[in-house]
Amino acid sequence: MTEILKRYRSPIILFLSVVLILIIGNLIHYQRLLNLMQVIGIMLLFVLYFKLLDFNFKMVITSDWSKRGMGILLFLFILFTFIPFSKWVIYEIYPLLGIFLFKINSTFDAVQFRLRIGSSFSSVLLFTVGNVFFRKRKRQQFLLEADNNNAKNEIDNLRYQLSLRDINPHFVESILSTSVGRSLMGEGRESADMLIRFNQVLRYVLDQDIAGMKTIPLKIEWNYFIDLTDILQWKYGDATVELYVDADWEKCHHKIIPMSLVTILENAIKYAVFQREGALIISLVLSHYGFVFECRNLFDPVQRAMMKSSNFGLSNLQQRLSKDEGYGVLHIEESDNEFIVRLVQNKFDQDGN
């Protein structure tokens, strides 16, 4: 009911205004208060021509020349027939229904009738033209807002797609250089294994948009996350990259937004100072009712100030999580040289037990 009132608000207001003007005008000019049947009889003609002219003007203002030509012909037809048609309805049809808009036994005055009907038709014409152009403008505003919303959605989607590819290129280059260097020093088997795992992580990152999944099991994301963590420990050592896990994966049914954990880790990799012990500390506590994932990294304030942020990482993840906090809430803390990010999920997935 509310939607109907909103959609037809303008015609309803217009209709009520005309009824009020009609009753008050007739009372002032003729000192006669119209009864309900007379108001209905007059408004039936008003509504008929209002709808007909409304349809007519829609044809005229269209970009289709054939419809525009038909609209002009229809308007000319209405213009030449509204007086005889109104006379026929008022003096022949309405009396059969008990509706008299004239004084009984009064002499028909053609000139007076034309003036009254012409004046009424002009009012209907003005109302209709105003309503058509008002709705056209409102429709244009609606389409403009829809285009703006679509553009914003496309931008958000583009930001999301770019965020899936936001693995730091310097980090990628460093891993490849380390693998090649260690291979030359006789650590080929281990280096080859790390390259394969790194390739799997990159493939996971690049293919998330292709898969089109809004959520994935936490276990799947964690497998790729562990691959990336193992690569970091292989490169920098366990004392530099620390990992603590308390989880029973057999009872885990949680789902998360793809790239949640990997995005957090990539942000830490970008700013972490790996020359120091405890540069990166990662922990996961998992239970049947949710999990707490935490990533801490040390950073150099001077170096960080000189680095340009892509704005596609944590801010994008925060935006994605805000659409459905059931898949996790992001908490960010920062001190002088330490950055802490926590992803907390207090509810298990709908498919969980």
Side-chain angles (χ1 to χ4, degrees):
M1 185 65 180
T2 306
E3 289 296 324
I4 294 176
L5 290 175
K6 184 182 291 187
R7 183 176 180 181
Y8 296 101
R9 180 174 58 185
S10 297
I12 290 173
I13 293 174
L14 181 62
F15 179 84
L16 295 176
S17 300
V18 171
V19 170
L20 188 62
I21 292 171
L22 180 66
I23 293 174
I24 295 175
N26 198 77
L27 182 62
I28 294 174
H29 193 270
Y30 299 103
Q31 289 76 49
R32 186 161 65 100
L33 187 64
L34 297 175
N35 59 41
L36 180 62
M37 294 300 290
Q38 289 173 328
V39 171
I40 291 174
I42 294 172
M43 292 313 301
L44 281 176
L45 274 176
F46 172 84
V47 171
L48 172 66
Y49 276 108
F50 175 79
K51 296 301 294 183
L52 189 60
L53 288 168
D54 184 71
F55 172 74
N56 181 204
F57 285 123
K58 285 180 182 177
M59 296 177 65
V60 172
I61 64 176
T62 186
S63 58
D64 190 329
W65 283 99
S66 59
K67 288 185 179 180
R68 186 176 295 180
M70 292 175 61
I72 294 173
L73 292 176
L74 177 60
F75 179 72
L76 292 175
F77 175 78
I78 294 171
L79 201 61
F80 284 103
T81 59
F82 79 90
I83 290 180
F85 178 77
S86 299
K87 179 184 176 183
W88 176 69
V89 171
I90 292 172
Y91 286 92
E92 295 184 29
I93 298 300
Y94 278 0
L96 296 177
L97 303 175
I99 302 175
F100 296 92
L101 303 181
F102 52 88
K103 292 181 180 180
I104 300 176
N105 299 324
S106 62
T107 304
F108 175 74
D109 189 335
V111 176
Q112 189 70 14
F113 178 78
R114 284 176 176 272
L115 288 173
R116 289 185 181 179
I117 294 298
S119 176
S120 300
F121 182 80
S122 299
S123 300
V124 175
L125 187 62
L126 290 174
F127 278 130
T128 308
V129 171
N131 184 63
V132 167
F133 282 99
F134 172 76
R135 284 189 308 179
K136 182 181 179 182
R137 183 178 178 182
K138 195 172 182 179
R139 175 65 178 172
Q140 290 174 339
Q141 291 177 341
F142 174 78
L143 292 175
L144 182 60
E145 290 178 0
D147 289 340
N148 288 338
N149 290 332
N150 289 336
K152 290 179 181 178
N153 290 334
E154 289 179 4
I155 291 172
D156 288 341
N157 184 59
L158 178 60
R159 289 172 63 89
Y160 168 66
Q161 304 301 338
L162 290 173
S163 73
L164 296 180
R165 294 166 169 79
D166 196 33
I167 292 292
N168 193 325
H170 299 293
F171 170 67
V172 175
E173 182 182 355
S174 176
I175 292 297
L176 294 176
S177 300
T178 301
S179 299
V180 172
R182 292 190 179 183
S183 295
L184 294 175
M185 291 187 295
E187 300 180 18
R189 184 182 296 275
E190 188 177 2
S191 297
D193 179 61
M194 289 301 168
L195 278 176
I196 291 172
R197 296 175 69 177
F198 192 54
N199 177 67
Q200 291 173 341
V201 173
L202 292 179
R203 178 54 55 190
Y204 170 70
V205 171
L206 296 175
D207 285 351
Q208 278 306 302
D209 55 334
I210 299 175
M213 294 183 293
K214 293 183 178 179
T215 61
I216 60 172
L218 172 61
K219 180 62 175 176
I220 293 178
E221 172 99 1
W222 182 256
N223 288 338
Y224 290 104
F225 179 85
I226 284 296
D227 281 341
L228 194 53
T229 305
D230 287 347
I231 293 169
L232 288 171
Q233 289 181 328
W234 168 73
K235 177 174 173 58
Y236 299 110
D238 295 348
T240 303
V241 180
E242 302 177 23
L243 178 65
Y244 303 95
V245 181
D246 180 9
D248 184 357
W249 292 108
E250 292 184 0
K251 296 181 180 180
C252 175
H253 302 281
H254 311 306
K255 288 187 177 182
I256 63 173
I257 294 174
M259 290 292 297
S260 298
L261 305 185
V262 175
T263 297
I264 295 172
L265 181 56
E266 194 281 329
N267 184 79
I269 293 170
K270 184 175 181 179
Y271 296 104
V273 182
F274 287 107
Q275 291 77 17
R276 298 170 56 181
E277 290 190 2
L280 184 60
I281 303 175
I282 303 162
S283 64
L284 174 70
V285 178
L286 174 67
S287 71
H288 181 73
Y289 300 101
F291 66 84
V292 177
F293 170 81
E294 182 179 277
C295 182
R296 295 170 173 258
N297 70 274
L298 301 177
F299 65 88
D300 183 344
V302 177
Q303 184 180 2
R304 182 180 175 185
M306 294 187 297
M307 296 179 67
K308 184 178 180 181
S309 174
S310 65
N311 293 322
F312 294 140
L314 294 182
S315 60
N316 180 271
L317 177 59
Q318 186 87 61
Q319 185 179 11
R320 291 160 60 200
L321 289 169
S322 66
K323 296 178 181 179
D324 193 339
E325 295 185 350
Y327 294 111
V329 178
L330 205 62
H331 301 279
I332 300 174
E333 298 178 15
E334 183 177 351
S335 62
D336 293 337
N337 67 338
E338 186 179 37
F339 198 77
I340 305 172
V341 180
R342 294 187 188 91
L343 179 61
V344 181
Q345 186 181 117
N346 293 320
K347 297 179 181 179
F348 55 89
D349 186 76
Q350 296 177 357
D351 297 329
N353 297 316

